[in-house]
Amino acid sequence: MVTAFENDKFAVVDLETTGTQRDHGDRIIQFGCAIIKNRKVVKTYSFLINPHHNIPQSVENLTDIKNDDVKDAHDFSYYAKRIRKILQDTIFVAHNINFDLPFLNYELVKAGLEPLRGKAIDTVELAQIAFPTYPSYKLKDLTARLNIKHLNPHRADSDALVTAKLLLKIIKRLEQLPTATLNTLTALSKGLLRDTDYIFYEISQYARQLKRPLAKDQIQVRNLILQKQELPQPNLEASENKFPLSDSEKKQIFKGQIRYRKGQTALINRIHDFIEHDKQDNLIVEAPNGSGKTLAYLMAYAYKLYSGRKLVIATPTKVLQEQIYRQEIPQLIKITGLDLFAQEVKSSTHYLDLDGFYNSLYQRDYDQQTLVWQMEILVWLTQTTTGDLDELQLTNYNNPFFDQIQHPGDARVGTYFSDYDFWNLARQRQELADILITNHAYLANHFMDSIWGQNPFLVVDEAHRFTENVTSSRSDGIQFESFWGSVSHLRNLLLFGPVSVKEKFGNQQEFGLILEQLESEIKNLIHAINHVQENLYGQIDLATSRVERRQNRVDFGFQGQDLFPHPDQMKGLLNQIQTSIEKVRQETNQILFLLYQQEHLVNNNDELIQELREEIDQLDFYAEQTYLLIDQLNNSNVLAEKGFILQVTDITDPLSTNIIWMMLDPSEELKQLYQYFSKRLFISATSMNNNSFDFIEKNLSLNPQNTLTYQGKASFKIEKHLKVLALDDPSKLENPNDENYAKFIASFLKEALEHQKHVLVLFTNLETIKDVFTEIINDPSLKDYEILAQGLTGSNQRIAKRFGIADKAILLGANSFWEGIDFKNNGVDLALAVKLPFESPDNPEVKLREERIKNQLKNKGSIFEIDTLPRALIRFRQGAGRLIRNERDHGTFVILDQRVWHKNYGQEFLNALPVGTKKVNYQQLISLLKEENDE
């Protein structure tokens, strides 16, 4: 059978260079090429090339090509004609075509030869489209995922060969797609880089000739191919089993499934007794890592779900939510044989809006990245049964494109895709589910939703973070700078510039009258916004805290009554904004109506119309935020419970003032939430402080008379898995606030790390991270590590993803990396506590909370003892807990902050750890880490 590309000759090329700036002296140091004929790799080429200047250390670290390797090699001019001949009459392919091809052409022209002008194809875009759910499209990660042997990553010869094999796998994958999907991909592909569309054109041509029928599990709606969606059906083979009361019964059902563990069984029994026999409604459990806590609470509740009551599980992160749904619950059902159905519960914005996505395919003004996303989603739709956008593993959904395709949460009726709507389907599944898994923030905002059913059970997993997440979910704000910036942009679209409405249609009377009114109303709106900013800025001298951030930004913290001594005055200013917004919105809509009447704009595809619609959406958003701020001012009791932060991005400019408000005391909110659930379990690996549950009980606003506690036991000897080493050496810096401390940390990392694969370095501020990162990023001793730094190398989600994928990585993180980020694939071998994790007392959020506690204490206790220290101890325990997540993990926790030995609170940190701490000097510490590596 004739197949696509069997008559094509591909030249898959990779270059190693001294840098990316070819116009500023960077040169090629290696050329690699793999030739594909008849869809097989038939020949490879590799030339080391002398660049005639030093290879930077960072490039040497990456490629392992040293100056000595190329000093006797020929320069590019020697190979130029041969390279030009090799590439003659081929389709040029590269993994990042817009780097390799221009760089190579630059050198060819410099050598007096013609540049390459044939077809050129990019495998990065192709991989993104062919494999839309992959977590990374770096060549090294793709080859690992696709089981392509990659012997020497970042060497041109090896990279070219594996890219050729990658191209062949991509082609094979695309050929398996339905013909209708291929046709739509081909139509969109014209906007891809260079000639990458050729791949889609050729494959779709052959697919049409084959006339393959649609797979049985797929359906075509318009020109989208979807997976058929089905609601769960009862398992006719399952029976309503009774809870296995005796340990021998549990051993029997565990047999051949999971290992019987006494600690886990004791936890199952305790939770079961709480559900069946205890009169109290709350149980707080500390369950050590590796105790099998998730299966334990699932099993304890599972046998009670046949009465029609649901179990609601709330987790702090979507990663843990997904893990319970995809791993723990299937294991529960397999072990018990129970006929139970589970479903995740998350915001509608996590789901693809099929109608919105379909409409987006006919808008042609999208940028390159959006086009690739559209093509990715077309392929993904042939695979997904949920429509959950999280499956795409993107780390940023802030692009305006997602505003169009994320589901708004309304019930779709009578649209093209209403019968296949992912959000409608998710809600139906939630109604049928016995177990619902959500996250803390969603539960806090939707605890009155009927979806939870009548009198449901509740498990709050990682309960030590629940109050913080509920509080965060009640925080909001207004970025006034962005607000008036958006209004200014609207003014320009309407009134100024060569493509404005006034320039195009201002000579028409009906346009002219409205535009004249709009000019005045927009001016009034901007003045109203600025008046609020100036009023807020005038209060900064009354702030209870002040923190100077980067680039002249200052944050000011306020109690509500201090910032708004006269709430009615501020409400009057905000109402002026509301009035102006309404006038501007109405008149802009009138302009849109007139634009729709213009014949050449009848299809509503004009870029001007699209931008005006987006600006109206922005006006609606800021109107809503303004109403929310007015709500804070309407009730003096609510105002007294709120904290406010003024973020002034330029302290010299009142018009750079923005506002955030937050809940300081969530106790009433929590008590209201608890009323909707029964037999509430609060479980965490760090529920206790100083062998007491008092702090978490108070933090969760639980009634002590209605609350039980239980300390679980680990199912293995933790001391055989975790080693703790703490530095005590007067010859090294003892003060972690010393200006040279970052250099000390960097020096330690260079000296101590050799063979550990995944190293987590825990800081308490981003400034020190930046300093350490700068010191180590190009150091040759760490060249084998991917170095990731919070605030510098991407979003927290992206960093966590990279850490989980990389063979060897060092992660420099603060804040949530002590406890809030999950690493999907890899554990942590070594965790370093650079500094004891006390919150900064200057942080406005901390200051506001402490002031409230101080007022409650009335000088009857120490804030440090009651709040500051317990929070730090929990975070410290969580940091150590990152190492041992189950009985297969082993790791070392190193404390570099010597205050644990020299401050009166230090012993409390040491006592908080599950194993004893070994005191070591600097050389002993280095030696012990290297001994571990040699074992």
Side-chain angles (χ1 to χ4, degrees):
M1 184 182 72
V2 179
T3 59
F5 311 114
E6 65 178 16
N7 295 319
D8 285 315
K9 181 180 178 183
F10 296 95
V12 186
V13 173
D14 187 76
L15 306 176
E16 302 303 338
T17 66
T18 58
T20 60
Q21 304 297 315
R22 59 184 183 272
D23 294 327
H24 293 86
D26 283 323
R27 294 290 175 262
I28 296 171
I29 55 176
Q30 189 183 24
F31 169 86
C33 179
I35 301 295
I36 296 175
K37 273 182 161 182
N38 199 23
R39 296 179 60 153
K40 291 181 180 177
V41 178
V42 296
K43 194 170 181 59
T44 60
Y45 299 91
S46 176
F47 308 134
L48 282 173
I49 296 169
N50 191 338
H52 293 300
H53 65 73
N54 281 336
I55 298 173
Q57 185 65 58
S58 58
V59 174
E60 183 179 315
N61 290 348
L62 186 69
T63 65
D64 208 29
I65 299 174
K66 302 175 177 62
N67 288 299
D68 285 348
D69 297 329
V70 297
K71 69 179 182 180
D72 296 325
H74 297 290
D75 59 22
F76 186 85
S77 62
Y78 176 86
Y79 293 107
K81 288 184 179 179
R82 188 176 177 192
I83 289 173
R84 190 68 177 75
K85 186 175 181 181
I86 291 169
L87 301 177
Q88 191 72 37
D89 300 323
T90 65
I91 299 172
F92 191 98
V93 180
H95 201 69
N96 189 2
I97 192 73
N98 277 349
F99 173 76
D100 293 274
L101 182 56
F103 212 117
L104 185 59
N105 272 338
Y106 178 87
E107 291 282 25
L108 288 170
V109 170
K110 195 165 175 252
L113 300 174
E114 286 290 312
L116 298 165
R117 292 193 173 93
K119 288 188 178 72
I121 288 167
D122 183 60
T123 52
V124 176
E125 285 190 339
L126 286 175
Q128 289 173 327
I129 296 162
F131 309 113
T133 60
Y134 280 15
S136 167
Y137 298 98
K138 288 188 174 183
L139 186 60
K140 185 178 178 182
D141 299 328
L142 283 169
T143 54
R145 183 74 180 246
L146 293 165
N147 296 315
I148 300 171
K149 288 186 179 179
H150 196 177
L151 300 177
N152 294 297
H154 301 296
R155 290 296 290 260
D157 48 353
S158 180
D159 283 358
L161 178 59
V162 298
T163 303
K165 293 179 180 179
L166 170 64
L167 175 64
L168 294 174
K169 283 187 178 280
I170 289 170
I171 289 171
K172 187 174 181 180
R173 171 70 188 103
L174 294 175
E175 286 178 328
Q176 297 167 354
L177 293 173
T179 304
T181 300
L182 282 169
N183 289 339
T184 309
L185 289 171
T186 303
L188 293 172
S189 68
K190 292 178 177 62
L192 295 177
L193 292 173
R194 307 276 177 165
D195 306 288
T196 305
D197 64 313
Y198 176 70
I199 298 294
F200 295 95
Y201 177 81
E202 287 293 298
I203 292 175
S204 63
Q205 287 282 94
Y206 282 90
R208 282 193 287 271
Q209 295 174 28
L210 291 173
K211 296 181 179 178
R212 287 177 298 158
L214 204 58
K216 291 181 180 179
D217 60 351
Q218 293 177 332
I219 187 171
Q220 181 166 351
V221 187
R222 309 292 284 186
N223 60 343
L224 299 186
I225 305 299
L226 310 173
Q227 277 281 315
K228 289 181 180 176
Q229 303 166 16
E230 295 180 355
L231 292 172
Q233 300 298 318
N235 181 359
L236 299 178
E237 297 180 4
S239 58
E240 185 178 332
N241 296 332
K242 291 184 178 180
F243 178 79
L245 283 171
S246 70
D247 290 355
S248 60
E249 288 177 287
K250 293 186 184 72
K251 281 183 181 179
Q252 188 61 38
I253 66 170
F254 287 170
K255 191 174 182 180
Q257 307 277 358
I258 61 171
R259 184 170 66 83
Y260 175 83
R261 296 180 283 183
K262 285 186 178 180
Q264 184 181 49
T265 303
L267 181 55
I268 295 170
N269 292 337
R270 181 64 194 93
I271 299 172
H272 175 261
D273 287 345
F274 162 66
I275 299 167
E276 286 284 351
H277 306 300
D278 290 321
K279 294 180 181 179
Q280 291 84 350
D281 279 320
N282 305 313
L283 173 63
I284 304 175
V285 170
E286 174 163 296
N289 289 330
S291 60
K293 68 180 175 68
T294 307
L295 180 64
Y297 67 64
L298 284 172
M299 190 166 171
Y301 281 96
Y303 292 86
K304 296 292 293 181
L305 303 181
Y306 283 92
S307 61
R309 293 171 72 180
K310 297 187 181 188
L311 170 62
V312 177
I313 302 168
T315 74
T317 65
K318 288 182 290 184
V319 172
L320 183 55
Q321 185 179 343
E322 185 177 335
Q323 179 182 315
I324 292 172
Y325 175 64
R326 299 196 180 280
Q327 297 176 26
E328 303 287 353
I329 289 176
Q331 184 185 53
L332 168 79
I333 293 169
K334 186 178 178 184
I335 289 169
T336 62
L338 295 172
D339 179 20
L340 297 173
F341 172 62
Q343 180 66 24
E344 290 185 272
V345 181
K346 53 179 78 171
S347 164
S348 66
T349 57
H350 289 272
Y351 294 89
L352 180 73
D353 176 13
L354 283 168
D355 290 288
F357 174 68
Y358 179 75
N359 291 333
S360 82
L361 297 176
Y362 297 94
Q363 296 172 229
R364 296 289 188 236
D365 56 347
Y366 286 124
D367 58 23
Q368 185 83 19
Q369 177 59 73
T370 303
L371 176 66
V372 174
W373 280 330
Q374 287 179 310
M375 297 178 73
E376 282 186 65
I377 291 170
L378 281 167
V379 175
W380 171 64
L381 283 173
T382 68
Q383 307 165 0
T384 184
T385 58
T386 67
D388 186 344
L389 289 164
D390 290 340
E391 292 175 8
L392 295 174
Q393 300 203 59
L394 303 175
T395 55
N396 185 356
Y397 292 91
N398 293 329
N399 189 285
F401 170 65
F402 290 104
D403 292 337
Q404 181 175 1
I405 69 166
Q406 288 172 317
H407 204 290
D410 57 341
R412 292 300 165 89
V413 179
T415 69
Y416 289 143
F417 298 95
S418 55
D419 291 341
Y420 312 95
D421 185 76
F422 289 123
W423 173 243
N424 289 352
L425 182 70
R427 294 293 286 185
Q428 290 175 51
R429 286 172 169 164
Q430 290 161 12
E431 292 283 357
L432 295 169
D434 306 291
I435 303 172
L436 296 172
I437 312 103
T438 189
N439 55 72
H440 292 173
Y442 189 90
L443 181 67
N445 286 304
H446 301 87
F447 60 82
M448 292 183 283
D449 196 324
S450 62
I451 203 72
W452 314 118
Q454 293 294 315
N455 199 28
F457 300 115
L458 175 65
V459 173
V460 178
D461 206 337
E462 301 292 331
H464 67 282
R465 296 182 57 200
F466 188 54
T467 300
E468 175 189 338
N469 288 334
V470 170
T471 303
S472 297
S473 74
R474 289 291 185 269
S475 297
D476 215 326
I478 304 176
Q479 292 295 314
F480 286 111
E481 282 182 291
S482 300
F483 187 1
W484 65 259
S486 178
V487 176
S488 297
H489 181 57
L490 174 61
R491 179 174 59 181
N492 291 337
L493 291 172
L494 291 166
L495 300 163
F496 303 109
V499 294
S500 66
V501 175
K502 186 173 183 178
E503 182 65 27
K504 288 184 174 183
F505 307 103
N507 58 349
Q508 299 181 29
Q509 185 177 5
E510 63 267 35
F511 277 97
L513 290 172
I514 301 172
L515 289 171
E516 188 176 333
Q517 289 177 308
L518 269 168
E519 186 164 7
S520 174
E521 292 300 341
I522 289 176
K523 187 177 180 181
N524 290 340
L525 176 53
I526 292 174
H527 284 164
I529 297 168
N530 292 162
H531 197 180
V532 170
Q533 290 181 289
E534 289 164 344
N535 186 284
L536 293 171
Y537 184 86
Q539 302 294 105
I540 61 176
D541 290 339
L542 302 176
T544 57
S545 63
R546 170 187 173 125
V547 178
E548 295 186 6
R549 307 290 189 184
R550 294 180 183 178
Q551 297 175 335
N552 219 23
R553 174 184 147 189
V554 182
D555 290 357
F556 299 91
F558 291 85
Q559 299 286 343
Q561 59 269 35
D562 295 335
L563 181 59
F564 301 109
H566 308 291
D568 288 341
Q569 180 184 348
M570 177 55 69
K571 282 195 289 184
L573 297 176
L574 294 171
N575 284 326
Q576 288 177 23
I577 291 178
Q578 290 288 352
T579 301
S580 291
I581 287 175
E582 186 58 30
K583 288 179 180 178
V584 171
R585 183 155 59 83
Q586 286 181 2
E587 289 164 6
T588 305
N589 273 325
Q590 290 179 42
I591 291 291
L592 276 173
F593 178 77
L594 292 175
L595 289 174
Y596 291 143
Q597 311 308 308
Q598 305 299 307
E599 288 185 12
H600 63 290
L601 297 176
V602 71
N603 293 324
N604 302 337
N605 286 329
D606 183 86
E607 187 175 336
L608 177 60
I609 284 183
Q610 182 62 31
E611 287 201 65
L612 287 172
R613 287 157 72 182
E614 289 172 2
E615 290 307 319
I616 289 176
D617 289 343
Q618 284 294 302
L619 282 177
D620 290 341
F621 168 75
Y622 286 114
E624 179 64 28
Q625 295 306 103
T626 308
Y627 277 125
L628 290 175
L629 180 53
I630 291 172
D631 284 345
Q632 313 306 311
L633 304 174
N634 276 334
N635 186 317
S636 58
N637 292 329
V638 171
L639 188 61
E641 293 172 357
K642 294 287 182 178
F644 292 83
I645 296 173
L646 295 185
Q647 293 180 337
V648 185
T649 58
D650 180 355
I651 191 57
T652 65
D653 182 9
L655 303 188
S656 69
T657 304
N658 308 287
I659 190 169
I660 292 172
W661 55 89
M662 64 194 69
M663 180 183 289
L664 295 179
D665 182 3
S667 57
E668 291 305 315
E669 190 83 7
L670 289 169
K671 290 172 185 176
Q672 187 181 1
L673 183 153
Y674 297 152
Q675 292 175 8
Y676 286 81
F677 302 90
S678 64
K679 288 299 175 181
R680 303 174 289 263
L681 171 67
F682 302 88
I683 192 165
S684 169
T686 52
S687 297
M688 300 177 73
N689 253 322
N690 292 327
N691 295 314
S692 168
F693 289 93
D694 289 351
F695 177 77
I696 194 169
E697 185 178 82
K698 188 174 182 180
N699 185 258
L700 289 167
S701 301
L702 297 174
N703 179 357
Q705 305 304 315
N706 196 30
T707 303
L708 301 167
T709 61
Y710 176 74
Q711 184 178 11
K713 294 180 176 61
S715 58
F716 56 91
K717 292 184 177 180
I718 186 70
E719 59 271 17
K720 291 187 176 182
H721 295 256
L722 175 65
K723 183 184 293 185
V724 180
L725 306 173
L727 181 65
D728 184 22
D729 192 330
S731 70
K732 300 297 178 183
L733 285 175
E734 296 185 26
N735 180 8
N737 297 312
D738 191 290
E739 61 181 14
N740 293 313
Y741 197 62
K743 290 186 182 296
F744 162 67
I745 300 301
S747 174
F748 173 78
L749 293 173
K750 294 173 191 177
E751 194 172 352
L753 306 187
E754 289 183 3
H755 303 297
Q756 288 101 342
K757 289 188 175 181
H758 292 87
V759 179
L760 179 61
V761 190
L762 297 168
F763 297 79
T764 58
N765 68 76
L766 299 181
E767 286 293 334
T768 311
I769 288 177
K770 181 181 178 183
D771 294 339
V772 172
F773 179 79
T774 303
E775 290 282 335
I776 68 173
I777 183 59
N778 290 323
D779 193 273
S781 64
L782 301 174
K783 67 178 183 178
D784 294 333
Y785 289 92
E786 184 168 350
I787 300 177
L788 305 161
Q790 185 178 350
L792 297 171
T793 60
S795 67
N796 288 2
Q797 290 79 9
R798 183 185 183 281
I799 289 171
K801 183 193 286 188
R802 290 299 319 154
F803 188 77
I805 292 169
D807 289 335
K808 297 182 76 174
I810 299 169
L811 195 164
L812 312 178
N815 305 321
S816 59
F817 283 100
W818 282 85
E819 56 178 309
I821 299 288
D822 292 288
F823 309 118
K824 278 191 175 181
N825 302 319
N826 290 318
V828 179
D829 306 310
L830 174 65
L832 305 172
V834 168
K835 192 175 178 181
L836 298 178
F838 290 110
E839 295 176 306
S840 170
D842 295 326
N843 196 332
E845 294 95 325
V846 176
K847 192 81 171 177
L848 289 167
R849 186 184 71 235
E850 289 185 347
E851 283 183 2
R852 183 168 186 83
I853 295 171
K854 185 178 179 181
N855 292 334
Q856 292 172 339
L857 288 174
K858 297 178 181 177
N859 299 319
K860 293 182 180 178
S862 159
I863 291 177
F864 181 82
E865 295 289 340
I866 292 171
D867 189 69
T868 308
L869 182 59
R871 288 177 185 275
L873 290 172
I874 286 176
R875 180 161 283 194
F876 186 70
R877 293 181 66 196
Q878 283 286 326
R882 306 316 302 271
L883 288 154
I884 314 299
R885 312 300 289 176
N886 56 61
E887 58 199 278
R888 298 182 298 277
D889 290 339
H890 293 79
T892 302
F893 186 56
V894 172
I895 308 165
L896 293 176
D897 188 340
Q898 298 189 52
R899 290 180 297 177
V900 291
W901 302 116
H902 306 299
K903 293 290 185 180
N904 55 8
Y905 54 72
Q907 192 60 46
E908 294 200 46
F909 282 94
L910 299 177
N911 292 343
L913 297 172
V915 300
T917 302
K918 184 171 184 177
K919 182 189 290 189
V920 291
N921 63 34
Y922 188 81
Q923 288 306 318
Q924 289 173 326
L925 177 56
I926 298 294
S927 297
L928 285 168
L929 290 176
K930 290 186 175 180
E931 282 175 16
E932 290 173 17
N933 295 339
D934 293 336
E935 289 175 1

